[in-house]
């Protein structure tokens, strides 16, 4: 079975709002990290990881939007948005675990 553009189009409509919401969450996490007095080494690593997550979620949002607007390469843009979104989820999960274990 081959995948048609219509099968994949539904994913972009979910990636765009979710990715932009997680982008906002990353900015809240940056504020939390700055307010919470943690070890400087952990603080620096968290800043780097949250910065990476911000970049990934922004890129995912852009590719998702491009997928909804494009005619010829819609499926290609959507697959990129999906992959970048999953990598962003990995980084935000990593940051969350680091915060939890630092607080505990």
């Amino acid at each position: 079975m081959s995948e048609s553009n219509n099968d994949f189009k539904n994913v972009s409509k979910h990636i765009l709002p979710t990715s932009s919401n997680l982008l906002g969450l990353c900015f809240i996490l940056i504020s939390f990290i700055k307010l919470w007095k943690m070890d400087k080494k952990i603080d620096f690593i968290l800043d780097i990881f949250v910065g990476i997550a911000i970049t990934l979620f922004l890129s995912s949002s852009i590719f998702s939007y491009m997928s909804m607007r494009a005619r010829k390469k819609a499926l290609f843009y959507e697959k990129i948005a999906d992959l970048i979104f999953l990598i962003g989820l990995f980084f935000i999960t990593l940051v969350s675990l680091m915060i939890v274990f630092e607080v505990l």
Side-chain angles (χ1 to χ4, degrees), residues 30-77:
I30 290 254
S31 299
F32 173 76
I33 291 168
K34 295 301 174 193
L35 290 174
W36 196 272
K37 302 298 180 195
M38 289 191 245
D39 183 23
K40 292 293 181 187
K41 185 177 179 182
I42 298 291
D43 188 30
F44 178 73
I45 294 170
L46 287 174
D47 282 344
I48 298 288
F49 284 173
V50 173
I52 292 170
I54 286 171
T55 305
L56 290 169
F57 287 129
L58 180 61
S59 299
S60 178
S61 296
I62 291 169
F63 277 107
S64 179
Y65 180 76
M66 287 171 57
S67 168
M68 289 188 276
R69 299 293 296 174
R71 293 180 191 263
K72 291 185 179 180
K73 293 187 175 184
L75 185 61
F76 175 71
Y77 291 141

